[in-house]
Amino acid sequence: MLFQTLDFGVLLAVVLVLIILLRTHSLQLFMLLAASYVFYMWWNPLYILLIVGSTLVDYVSGFRMGLREVGDPKRKKWLWFSVLTNLGLLGTFKYFNFFAGELNVGLQQLGVTAALPYLNVLLPVGISFYTFQSMSYTIDVYRGKTEAERSIVRFATYVAFFPQLVAGPILRSTDFLPQLRGKVINLKAANLRSGFHLFLNGLVKKMLVADQVGRLVDLIFDLPQGLPSPIIALGAFAFAIQIYADFSAYSDMAIGVARMMGFHIPANFRYPNFSRSISEFWTRWHISLSTWVRDYLYFPLGGSRKGIARTYINLLITMLLMGIWHGAGWNFFMYGLFNGVVMVIERATRWRTAIGDPDPWGMTLHGWAKARVFAVSAFKWLIFMYLRMLSCIFFRVQDTQDLIYSVKKYIFFDFDFTLGSWGLAQANPFLVAVITGAFILLHWFSYRVGGFAGWLDERPATVRWLIYFAAGFALFALWPSERVAYIYFQF
Amino acid sequence: MAAERIETNTTSPTPRSANLRALLALVDGLFFTLLAGVVFLVVIHWLVVDLRVMPVTRARLVEVHEYLVDQAGQEPTGDLYFLGSSVLLEGVDCTVIDPALPEGTQSYNLALMGAGAPQWMLIADALRQTQPSWVIMTIDLTGVTGLQKIPEEGMAIAEYWNFFTPAAHDRFSKYFTPEQLAALDKSDLASLLDFRVFPIGAFDMYMREVSKPGLRYDGYTTNFKDPWVRKSRVSDVSTERWITDKVNKATAQDQQAMDEQIAMIDELIGWFADKDVRCAMVVAPVNPRLARAFGDAETERVMTQLAALAKRTATPLLDHRTLLSESDYADHVHPYEPGRIKWSQRLAADLGELVTRGHTSTEHATSEHTTRGDTTRGDTTRGDTTRGETTRGDTTRGDTTRGDTTRGDTFSESVPSETGPDTTGGGR
């Protein structure tokens, strides 16, 4: 079920009405779980068994670990049971066919005729999200960071909470389970309005920006061979906008819907496009995943505590996992590797010192100091954007030959500016240009005010009404004819 | 970063009435968003219906239909109408063809961009009511295999401007998907929503054209005589890219698409025949580069089916596939100026003959044979040059040909002597 469909509107309306009708904690919890399962089954009823299976395994594992003291070796067995089951699900549904294919090609080249069979399965929507979410719980229980959850309904609701089930943000049990414990959902005007603003913000980003720009991206990268460098760069830039607008839109809408019900979900993005290094970017982009791999992989590997060489290796391993988390393909491997290598270089050259600067663009400064800080940041930003766009090519172009061609064209720029001859007209390029321009301005404004939706919360009614009207008008005018799923659903 | 203001849930429930009141916080947001929708519908009606602000491809469809409806109220003129896609639109100059036609007969180019038989069905009823003497269906081979379904907006236009009479609806409903039929049953209000993409598309098209000296599309929605003229050729690499794309998109479903489209053409021929409107099919020139990419087997497969249809319906079939050379094209499919002149002259010659002599067959299809890149026919006078016959594309010749060495005999070669003058336009 997509957020932008009438189906979801009806589901949300029903949930809100039921929240009002059911005034006890346990009934509301059951209702939320049922709504979450309906939400998922709308896509494929059978695959709910995967979520239920994963939930049961992790619930039992957590429960059994909770019966023993921290440090008891039997806890580790249950942890392995949980981790292997979840990774097994991921491996089977997401990676098996890729590895089978690669292995078969390798065997063929060695003259071996035997081949691994392929699995005829659909990739379950959002499998990487809910398995990682579920796994984080068992790891936290094992570490003693959270108590084992006794209520199976509560735990199942945490795993399958519908606003963020299929594309995140990935919730931590330490953040979310306490919000489900004994609390009754009371609808509050401030929450509903604020949640609505976030939802509207996300809807506009998805329908007016991501889906419109995406047509141009598809036109370029579905068949990049033969295209000159400026078009490839245009495609990379457009994809950088598309993927941000698409993914952050989903996060906004998920957080907005949860907020309508009084639940807090942490932000998944902090203006990553204003980063000045790839290292900084990863502290602002898909935060729920980057913190997940930091806490459950990078730190356990030793993080930066075991010397420089080991730090670099840990960084590379972490970023590689981050890359292949997105999917089974060499392009995702390259995506992770590229980001890892750049981060290692940035760390070695201390380029990443930009992280944590409270005023990186000198907005609070004046005169010469402001100009100097701004100029330095702008210079770093240009380098960052060049690298970010290159990493976008790795992410978007899955065919190896097309990827090699696109990367070559991007790096060895040919300055062929015959833009009018490449059939891009089908993607309404002038409309895309206008939309992109408007998005960049609004994005900058949002960055300056610390979030457009939050800014809107505090505006007087007349301003809000004007913005509702403008957003509504734009949505009616530009709503795409075709329904386009979110890019991150495939992960 | 602004602090998040969220009132988290507590252990004590508040009354239902308080929760209900809280819901009112959503009312103004939903109201103004929906109000914007209502205003948008008013604006879109004014822009699209009153001012015709829409992409030229859509505006052309509406204009062609209105022209036909207008003609239908007058005496039949005995004119000749071309149906086709953008290949026809850019490839045929009616002013070259008209002198070859009998006095008083005019030809009109009613091509629609991206159109094949499904799109022709949209205007078929109005066309039938005008009772032209001939309808020439120009068939782009790559279009036959890659059947273009009528998009939602096209169906919305058909619904809003009442393209479909009950008779046309009954006749053609089997060729439409349930979604397309549902679009025909939509209310005008719902169709207006489908028009939402038109002003944007028009804006984009306009922006692309103003960057060139003179609007390429200016006035062409209502121009049914002059060809649409391209300002320049696309680059060679771009052409290659389009061809690769086209070949990549050719799928196993193409056979089914071709069967569907040929069945539609069959239906159209029959329907026009009911009104004494004669039909002919012209296989449009195919860029040799594209033909090579698709392979002979592909084109022959289509030709065999077209020839069978032609034979079954006694409809002349002119095969102009190999008429043009690579340099005659502006891109992978559309003829450029030299190509347009050549094709128009060939059509003038062939159709002049056809219309002048009438078509008398009840059992044959005509196959026109050309050599690849046949450039010796750049004349408007019939019967004066050598044809350069080959057997390429000859799918029906063996049984009907006579005297085939000079150019003036295009149709005599296939007119069976045993039949009289055809007055039914197709013998159905």
Side-chain angles (χ1 to χ4, degrees), chain B residues 240-271:
Chain B
E240 197 55 47
R241 187 169 181 269
W242 277 105
I243 290 171
T244 308
D245 186 44
K246 197 113 183 161
V247 172
N248 285 348
K249 283 180 181 164
T251 65
Q253 290 176 333
D254 284 350
Q255 177 67 44
Q256 191 192 343
M258 182 175 74
D259 291 345
E260 273 180 47
Q261 185 143 216
I262 286 176
M264 289 179 203
I265 294 171
D266 194 354
E267 189 80 55
L268 284 166
I269 290 170
W271 213 38

Side-chain angles (χ1 to χ4, degrees), chain A residues 20-21 23 184 186-187 191 219 223 261 263-264 421 425-426 428-431 450 458 464-465 469 476 479, chain B residues 2 4-7 9-12 14 16 19 22 28-29 32 36-37 196 200 204 207-208 238 241-242:
Chain A
I20 296 173
L21 294 177
R23 301 307 302 148
V184 179
N186 294 315
L187 297 183
N191 288 347
L219 211 54
L223 190 64
M261 296 184 281
F263 293 109
H264 169 73
S421 311
Q426 293 173 60
N428 289 347
F430 282 92
L431 171 68
E458 294 163 2
R464 280 191 282 114
W465 293 344
F469 186 86
F476 272 97
W479 195 278
Chain B
E4 289 181 354
R5 286 172 185 77
I6 179 164
E7 296 181 40
N9 297 312
T10 58
T11 51
S12 47
T14 54
R16 287 196 178 94
N19 283 266
D28 62 345
F32 279 98
R196 67 184 180 277
I200 302 295
D204 205 82
M207 289 300 290
R208 271 183 279 131
S238 177
R241 187 169 181 269
W242 277 105

Side-chain angles (χ1 to χ4, degrees), chain B residues 239 243 285-292 321 326 329 331-333:
Chain B
T239 299
I243 290 171
V286 178
N287 189 330
R289 285 174 74 175
L290 191 58
R292 278 198 300 277
R321 267 182 298 169
E326 286 179 27
Y329 286 86
D331 59 14
H332 63 303
V333 286

Side-chain angles (χ1 to χ4, degrees), chain A residues 35 44 105 107 131 138 160 201 297 302 316 340 361 363-364 383 388 453 471:
Chain A
N44 188 332
V105 170
L107 288 175
T131 49
T138 47
N201 193 45
L297 183 67
L316 284 174
W361 294 88
M363 287 188 292
T364 57
I383 294 172
R388 170 69 187 143

Side-chain angles (χ1 to χ4, degrees), chain A residues 370-436:
Chain A
K370 181 175 187 162
R372 191 181 58 81
V373 170
F374 188 87
V376 170
S377 284
F379 175 69
K380 286 184 172 179
W381 180 82
L382 283 174
I383 294 172
F384 156 73
M385 271 311 284
Y386 180 80
L387 296 171
R388 170 69 187 143
M389 282 161 61
L390 181 54
S391 82
C392 278
I393 295 176
F394 286 121
F395 194 101
R396 175 60 179 77
V397 185
Q398 300 199 6
D399 178 83
T400 309
Q401 292 307 315
D402 287 348
L403 179 60
I404 292 169
Y405 175 85
S406 303
V407 169
K408 267 187 186 170
K409 278 286 170 184
Y410 183 78
I411 295 173
F412 304 107
F413 210 81
D414 63 16
F415 296 96
D416 177 358
F417 285 97
T418 53
L419 300 180
S421 311
W422 303 100
L424 302 184
Q426 293 173 60
N428 289 347
F430 282 92
L431 171 68
V432 170
V434 170
I435 284 174
T436 305

